[in-house]
Amino acid sequence: MKQRTSPLVKVALGGTNLFVFLFTLSALFPIVWMFYTSLKSNQEFSLSIMSLPSQPTFVNYLNAFEIGNIGSAIFSSVLNTVIPVPLIVLFSFIMGYFFSRIDFKGKRILMLLFLAGMMIPIHALLVPLFVQFKWFGMLDNRFTLILPYIAFHLPVAIFLFDSFIKGISREIEEAAYIDGSSFDRTMFTVILPICLPIMSTVAILSVLGTWNEFSFALVLNKSTELFTLPIWLTFFSGQHTTDYTGKIAGLVITSLPIIVIYLFFSNKIMSGMTAGAVKG
């Protein structure tokens, strides 16, 4: 016989579903609002910021590409994401593997240093890093941001790999050694494929962090051709006026790759984080 659900439980479930629905709606509405507002003119936007566009226009997007020099900003953002992310994944995997499998002198000190890197707010390093880069003549060039981005994302990535690899049975490596596999071959051909879930998590989190970074991109680079997309968005605000709909169109262009990545890979982020937590 089917067990009947009491009215109180039904009310509780209905209230929970309603709360989740309203919460989801509140999270999705800003994105929807941003998309349809980018199709307005500034005059229509000033009359009502919430209403739908009466005459949708793509002129804001055309201006962004023709007037706003967005091509250079896209190239800078892509460059400062495509180069650091693979290096972050590679270095964090190697160091995470060493931390989880090998006992060496200074291991505890290194782990404390990386832990400090997670605890210290990165913006507290903005002025010291600027002074240091100025001293070495590393300011305002195409590759200025790559080293800071790698350094800022390594601590979290290393601890994620360390936690995940600790949950992998050592018998797998011992079997590989018995078959004549070397240390580095075992690490890259046996353990690395097993780490694909956490590798995806590290890569996606690194992409999100480097793509959206603002402060260091603003301070360490001064040439407009080196500005990334978050800095490029400030061009829509002048001393006395702001092109609101143009700026919102720029926000759509900037956030669209991140939204697509999140929609396609959000499950991998969650599964990788959960796997690392459980295995740790």
Side-chain angles (χ1 to χ4, degrees):
M1 295 180 62
K2 292 184 179 180
Q3 188 175 1
R4 298 181 62 183
T5 305
S6 65
L8 185 61
V9 173
K10 290 182 178 180
V11 171
L13 289 175
T16 303
N17 290 334
L18 179 62
F19 173 78
V20 172
F21 172 77
L22 293 176
F23 181 80
T24 304
L25 190 64
S26 68
L28 291 177
F29 178 74
I31 300 175
V32 176
W33 175 85
M34 183 174 64
F35 275 100
Y36 75 70
T37 302
S38 67
L39 303 178
K40 292 182 177 181
S41 64
N42 278 308
Q43 292 78 8
E44 190 175 4
F45 178 80
S46 62
L47 293 175
S48 174
I49 64 172
M50 301 301 294
S51 64
L52 293 172
S54 58
Q55 294 180 341
T57 176
F58 290 93
V59 67
N60 295 315
Y61 293 96
L62 295 175
N63 290 337
F65 282 94
E66 294 178 359
I67 303 174
N69 194 26
I70 191 175
S72 176
I74 292 176
F75 178 77
S76 296
S77 289
V78 171
L79 181 73
N80 289 309
T81 300
V82 169
I83 295 180
V85 170
L87 295 176
I88 292 168
V89 173
L90 176 63
F91 294 155
S92 59
F93 166 70
I94 294 173
M95 300 188 76
Y97 183 80
F98 272 74
F99 280 144
S100 63
R101 288 293 193 255
I102 300 174
D103 291 323
F104 56 90
K105 187 177 294 186
K107 174 181 175 180
R108 190 175 298 275
I109 296 175
L110 279 176
M111 293 192 72
L112 288 175
L113 287 175
F114 283 115
L115 183 62
M118 295 172 58
M119 297 175 63
I120 298 175
I122 62 172
H123 296 100
L125 305 174
L126 187 59
V127 174
L129 193 64
F130 173 81
V131 174
Q132 194 174 44
F133 271 48
K134 185 177 181 181
W135 177 268
F136 287 106
M138 297 172 61
L139 291 175
D140 203 31
N141 67 71
R142 184 63 70 183
F143 302 100
T144 295
L145 298 173
I146 291 176
L147 284 178
Y149 285 177
I150 293 173
F152 295 152
H153 290 88
L154 270 181
V156 173
I158 288 171
F159 280 98
L160 286 174
F161 271 109
D162 175 52
S163 176
F164 189 90
I165 294 173
K166 282 179 180 177
I168 301 175
S169 175
R170 291 178 180 266
E171 295 177 355
I172 298 175
E173 295 154 277
E174 292 171 357
Y177 293 141
I178 292 174
D179 291 338
S181 178
S182 61
F183 175 82
D184 54 346
R185 184 177 179 183
T186 300
M187 181 169 61
F188 286 105
T189 63
V190 177
I191 301 301
L192 184 62
I194 301 175
C195 293
L196 285 179
I198 197 67
M199 190 182 304
S200 301
T201 301
V202 170
I204 295 167
L205 292 177
S206 300
V207 167
L208 297 178
T210 54
W211 186 268
N212 293 321
E213 202 281 321
F214 180 86
S215 300
F216 287 88
L218 176 65
V219 172
L220 299 182
N221 283 332
K222 291 299 181 183
S223 301
T224 55
E225 64 269 14
L226 300 179
F227 284 167
T228 57
L229 283 169
I231 310 302
W232 170 80
L233 288 173
T234 62
F235 292 167
F236 291 93
S237 299
Q239 185 176 0
H240 302 291
T241 60
T242 299
D243 183 5
Y244 290 105
T245 55
K247 193 168 190 174
I248 293 171
L251 283 171
V252 173
I253 297 171
T254 303
S255 59
L256 189 60
I258 301 301
I259 294 173
V260 172
I261 289 174
Y262 179 80
L263 291 176
F264 279 95
F265 298 105
S266 59
N267 289 335
K268 288 188 177 294
I269 298 177
M270 295 297 103
S271 62
M273 295 288 285
T274 306
V278 173
K279 288 176 180 293

